[in-house]
């Protein structure tokens, strides 16, 4: 499986980020067809209490890199990517990788 | 599900990193019991050809943060964490988050 990880830096206004992300961005992103996995997590302090360098980490999965790029190149994908600057005041970093799996992952829908 | 993401920065010697990671570190890390998911990916250039700021992204899953911390606090977990400086010449960044799942993820073992 291929994965795109999106790392969001700490926003200038976390409450505004959260509100926009869940109420505005997510409905736009949900219009993308073909994803075979999608996870969202807000980063928490590490065991020492230190804040990590990112605010949120998102995982988008597809069967291949070509499939993932095609999803992002669709009108719905382009609208989703174009919306990111509207809320990502702390910037965003994209990591592309083919997932190698040592212990199987099964994550049922929570949202 | 709870996830610990480990981001490895670009090592000074990628070939040495790969050799150590897969041949030395992985066997040590495999001794950890209780993980409910474990993925490893080497980052690839983005669609524009630009290299991402990290070399490798690893996901470790457990049913809860407490369970994940307990795994890392076990003798096997401590040995695994203690081994990281032996190869992570580009540094490592740890992100802790509770995973919210929009599209379910199923990743069978590949390694």
């Amino acid at each position: 499986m291929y994965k795109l990880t999106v790392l969001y830096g700490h926003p200038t206004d976390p409450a505004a980020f959260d509100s926009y992300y869940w109420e505005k961005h997510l409905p736009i992103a949900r219009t993308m067809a073909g994803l075979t996995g999608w996870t969202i997590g807000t980063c928490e302090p590490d065991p020492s209490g230190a804040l990590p360098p990112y605010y949120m980490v998102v995982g988008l999965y597809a069967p291949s890199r070509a499939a993932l790029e095609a999803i992002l190149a669709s009108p719905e994908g382009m609208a989703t990517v174009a919306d990111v600057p509207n809320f990502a005041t702390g910037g965003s970093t994209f990591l592309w990788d083919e997932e190698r799996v040592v212990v199987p992952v099964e994550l049922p829908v929570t949202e």
Side-chain angles (χ1 to χ4, degrees), chain A residues 10-105:
Chain A
H10 289 281
T12 53
D13 182 341
F17 179 101
D18 288 346
S19 171
Y20 193 98
Y21 187 87
W22 296 100
E23 294 166 25
K24 301 269 177 62
H25 183 67
L26 200 61
I28 296 170
R30 278 185 189 274
T31 64
M32 292 188 288
L35 290 173
T36 51
W38 181 3
T39 65
I40 303 168
T42 301
C43 298
E44 300 182 345
D46 73 16
S48 79
L51 271 179
Y54 297 104
Y55 182 73
M56 179 184 274
V57 53
V58 174
L60 298 170
Y61 297 81
S64 66
R65 174 155 185 159
L68 196 48
E69 291 199 21
I71 292 168
L72 294 184
S74 69
E76 296 81 5
M78 287 193 290
T80 300
V81 173
D83 188 47
V84 170
N86 294 334
F87 64 92
T89 51
S92 59
T93 301
F94 288 57
L95 306 178
W96 301 76
D97 78 272
E98 176 72 40
E99 291 282 273
R100 299 172 69 161
V101 183
V102 180
V103 175
V105 181

